[in-house]
Amino acid sequence: MPDGAPVDQPLKVLMTAAEVVPFAKTGGLADVMGSLPKALRQLGLDVRVAMPKYGRIDDARFNLETIGTFDVPFETGVEPVTLKHTMSGPVPVYFIDNARYFNREGIYGYADDGERFIFFCRAALEAVRYLNWQPDIIHCHDWHTAIIPNWLKTIYRADEFFAPVASVYTIHNLAYQGVFGYRILEIAGIAEYGFLYPQIAELANVVDLMGRGIIFADMITTVSETYAREILTPEYGEKLDPLLRDRKERLVGILNGIDYDVYDPRTDPYIAVHYDVHTLDRRIENKIALQREVRLPEDPAVPVLAAISRLTDQKGFDLVAQIIEAVLRQGVQFVLLGTGDQHYHHLFSRIASAYPTQAAVFLTFNTPLAQRIYAGSDIFLMPSRFEPCGLGQMIAMHYGSVPVVRKTGGLADTVQDFDPRTGRGTGFVFIRYDHMDLFAAIIRALETYKYRDVWRSIQVQGMQQDFSWNRSARKYVEVYHKALQYHRGK
Ligand code: ADP
């Protein structure tokens, strides 16, 4: 279907994922699951979401209602599920509640994670059968739900209810593949089909759930066009590039959007002062409020550099670590909000104690603080080694914080390097994964920051970008139609 064409046949789509805003979030996957279904509903599709009911999800806070209980066939027996439901704006969300696997505080990080998410998938399928709501498409996200396309082509293939259902599989991050041993095949009830990747030595004797999503889905998507090309190469393919190359005609890159209802500096409930591109002068009050909150000297002139991220090697924090002291010697302030690898926790805690008037470090997950940092910082650092899409840089631009990014994946697709000759650009981009190249990009940003009008024009260009879901949601509709065609053997 061409861009902009109306959707005449409303499709029924079940989305399955491990995290969904506002119920559970560790990263961008949750943002997408909170916003893409809404955008598709606005196009007239009947999209519904299924997720696990983690212990931390408060029934009363989210008005969860029990629909009923049923038994899910699992391994050799059955496992009971209580199916719950709420509305997230216009989107019906179903929760799989089961004491054995999900009545725990955390989302991930348990020894039985593989089994937990296999169970969730089985229960999600049985839930729609229980509801007698037959989707046209099941849209699965990341390794946690990647077994579903595999099942639709095996144990559910001859099942009357599921046989017509096509599957779409979205890779949000190829680095997390859900790799388990043979036992998981038994748990999933597909041991008779055995291992699958004799051609890839590292995968010959393991169950790689991400790989199964790629092999069996009718269509595969990932979250930016550049990343869709990159993952076909050994450098970015995380050992699955041969599988992706085999199915490359089924693979489409669709850039994520951000939810403008949530991320809007005109209405954001967490920030001190509301503003937009016409009232950008007011933004400075958010900067002062941020400096006060994070206990750094209140100074409108000093550039505030920020990062909000998982603290992992993927995000380029090894580069940041190598240059942060040299950057601080430029007299800037640095605000970091993130959680992740322990060695980064130690390293940045040390920086915060060594530079108490320049560096503020918060090793927590805190959404309100994140939004105040987007609204109050001048420069947003995202020097990722690889980046499937990245939402941080888009949110930052939308809030007038100018990103410094490496040219990879979705960062390459969303940030245009500032060119002082033309005055065009939305950020500062470097290419090689090298700490000196990052340093040079930061210095370019700091030099440009001295010219207030130029800086303002970069902020304005960033704020005027369209990062809404409008265009991308339509591309998913096209993918759904293609998936159905493939599924029907056309
Ligand atoms: P990824 O999904 O790889 O973690 P993205 O940039 O796609 O990276 O999405 C990260 C999302 O999580 C953004 O919405 C970002 O603001 C948010 N985020 C990351 N770390 C934190 C944190 N410590 N506190 C609050 N929000 C965070």
Side-chain angles (χ1 to χ4, degrees):
M1 190 189 341
D3 230 8
V7 179
D8 34 34
Q9 281 300 313
L11 285 175
K12 285 181 281 173
V13 181
L14 174 71
M15 297 231 189
T16 54
E19 41 181 297
V20 181
V21 161
F23 310 105
K25 167 168 171 174
T26 70
L29 167 64
D31 283 310
V32 172
M33 292 307 303
S35 50
L36 173 60
K38 212 159 78 177
L40 288 165
R41 282 229 151 220
Q42 275 156 13
L43 294 177
L45 280 71
D46 182 1
V47 179
R48 308 184 189 190
V49 175
M51 69 176 291
K53 162 73 176 67
Y54 304 108
R56 65 161 71 169
I57 300 174
D58 181 348
D59 291 56
R61 180 176 160 215
F62 293 113
N63 297 320
L64 264 52
E65 284 168 15
T66 297
I67 297 178
T69 50
F70 58 91
D71 283 336
V72 174
F74 201 55
E75 264 212 276
T76 48
V78 290
E79 189 63 36
V81 159
T82 302
L83 184 62
K84 296 183 172 175
H85 163 264
T86 195
M87 295 299 290
S88 181
V91 182
V93 181
Y94 299 115
F95 294 85
I96 302 299
D97 199 353
N98 166 272
R100 179 166 159 203
Y101 292 117
F102 293 114
N103 195 12
R104 311 177 191 181
E105 186 55 21
I107 300 177
Y108 315 116
Y110 300 98
D112 59 350
D113 275 358
E115 188 171 336
R116 291 170 71 227
F117 287 104
I118 296 286
F119 174 72
F120 163 66
C121 292
R122 192 77 199 249
L125 294 186
E126 293 303 327
V128 288
R129 192 203 302 276
Y130 175 78
L131 293 166
N132 198 23
W133 181 76
Q134 187 188 36
D136 300 297
I137 305 279
I138 299 185
H139 185 168
C140 309
H141 299 264
D142 271 354
W143 73 260
H144 322 98
T145 59
I147 195 71
I148 291 177
N150 191 171
W151 278 338
L152 291 178
K153 297 269 163 72
T154 51
I155 52 175
Y156 282 100
R157 189 185 195 112
D159 183 303
E160 216 174 288
F161 190 83
F162 287 105
V165 181
S167 63
V168 173
Y169 180 59
T170 295
I171 301 166
H172 293 263
N173 193 336
L174 200 60
Y176 302 97
Q177 297 181 359
V179 177
F180 301 97
Y182 182 78
R183 169 90 185 103
I184 210 79
L185 291 182
E186 293 176 341
I187 291 169
I190 48 174
E192 63 187 284
Y193 302 94
F195 291 123
L196 280 180
Y197 328 93
Q199 75 279 35
I200 305 176
E202 294 86 346
L203 299 180
N205 297 307
V206 294
V207 179
D208 184 311
L209 292 174
M210 172 79 73
R212 284 174 185 256
I214 293 166
I215 290 177
F216 290 105
D218 292 302
M219 282 293 288
I220 309 154
T221 76
T222 189
V223 289
S224 70
E225 288 180 19
T226 296
Y227 193 61
R229 285 192 300 275
E230 287 172 340
I231 57 178
L232 299 176
T233 67
E235 188 186 351
Y236 289 94
E238 307 277 353
K239 310 257 167 16
L240 296 184
D241 49 294
L243 296 184
L244 287 159
R245 283 194 299 274
D246 278 353
R247 305 212 76 216
K248 100 170 171 256
E249 76 289 354
R250 304 283 183 110
L251 173 66
V252 178
I254 304 177
L255 193 68
N256 285 336
I258 55 176
D259 187 339
Y260 277 6
D261 296 337
V262 175
Y263 297 111
D264 184 351
R266 291 173 306 182
T267 55
D268 189 325
Y270 298 124
I271 66 179
V273 177
H274 292 145
Y275 60 96
D276 64 14
V277 75
H278 306 293
T279 53
L280 205 44
D281 283 336
R282 292 192 200 149
R283 191 176 185 274
I284 196 75
E285 293 178 46
N286 288 311
K287 175 167 169 178
I288 301 292
L290 175 65
Q291 289 171 323
R292 192 177 314 133
E293 178 176 1
V294 304
R295 294 167 196 269
L296 292 175
E298 292 169 36
D299 179 351
V302 63
V304 174
L305 279 68
I308 302 169
S309 182
R310 290 184 293 112
L311 300 177
T312 63
D313 289 341
Q314 175 201 335
K315 299 291 181 176
F317 283 96
D318 50 334
L319 301 189
V320 176
Q322 290 177 75
I323 58 155
I324 186 64
E325 297 195 66
V327 172
L328 290 170
R329 281 197 290 274
Q330 310 296 313
V332 305
Q333 293 179 352
F334 175 61
V335 180
L336 172 72
L337 171 62
T339 56
D341 298 349
Q342 280 308 310
H343 76 277
Y344 289 122
H345 284 215
H346 293 142
L347 196 147
F348 286 109
S349 301
R350 233 181 18 243
I351 295 288
S353 356
Y355 298 86
T357 59
Q358 284 187 271
V361 170
F362 300 88
L363 302 170
T364 56
F365 195 94
N366 183 336
T367 298
L369 177 58
Q371 289 179 217
R372 290 194 284 274
I373 296 174
Y374 287 120
S377 59
D378 297 300
I379 294 171
F380 188 79
L381 299 180
M382 211 156 153
S384 306
R385 180 186 293 275
F386 64 93
E387 193 59 74
C389 174
L391 299 176
Q393 83 283 10
M394 291 196 256
I395 304 169
M397 282 185 272
H398 195 55
Y399 277 70
S401 185
V402 174
V404 172
V405 304
R406 184 169 165 255
K407 190 173 180 142
T408 184
L411 298 172
D413 294 352
T414 52
V415 183
Q416 188 196 348
D417 191 33
F418 174 66
D419 180 345
R421 279 161 305 195
T422 61
R424 307 289 312 159
T426 55
F428 295 86
V429 181
F430 67 101
I431 296 172
R432 266 193 322 155
Y433 192 78
D434 182 284
H435 65 285
M436 286 314 290
D437 291 30
L438 167 62
F439 187 63
I442 292 174
I443 295 298
R444 274 202 295 136
L446 292 175
E447 285 303 306
T448 312
Y449 181 78
K450 293 177 182 161
Y451 301 89
R452 309 300 306 165
D453 293 348
V454 177
W455 192 260
R456 160 91 46 136
S457 97
I458 300 172
Q459 289 178 298
V460 168
Q461 290 177 69
M463 292 174 82
Q464 287 175 334
Q465 300 292 306
D466 181 5
F467 296 126
S468 71
W469 271 105
N470 292 343
R471 217 171 325 150
S472 295
R474 288 178 197 282
K475 292 186 183 164
Y476 276 105
V477 179
E478 285 177 46
V479 165
Y480 295 152
H481 284 291
K482 275 195 195 143
L484 280 171
Q485 277 170 14
Y486 278 121
H487 193 72
R488 292 169 185 157
K490 287 184 196 144

